[in-house]
Amino acid sequence: MTTILMAGFWGWFEAKAGIEALGHSGPADWCYGVTYAVVLLLGLAGLLPRRT
């Protein structure tokens, strides 16, 4: 769901980078993988103890 909600970002990314991110049926497969990896890394970073 997050990947689809980020369609505006993927359109901007495609225009800037020249890498096809949006097709006629929605975001490309690799967009889902990138979004999943970012969400996973942010979640794992939240589990790390913070130093004060």
Side-chain angles (χ1 to χ4, degrees):
M1 186 63 150
T2 303
T3 305
I4 295 169
L5 292 173
M6 293 176 56
F9 168 77
W10 294 120
W12 170 83
F13 179 82
E14 182 175 351
K16 293 293 182 185
I19 301 171
E20 186 167 349
L22 286 176
H24 65 278
S25 61
D29 291 339
W30 66 267
C31 295
Y32 290 95
V34 169
T35 302
Y36 179 74
V38 169
V39 169
L40 185 65
L41 289 174
L42 290 174
L44 290 174
L47 295 175
L48 295 175
R50 295 193 175 141
R51 296 182 185 215
T52 56

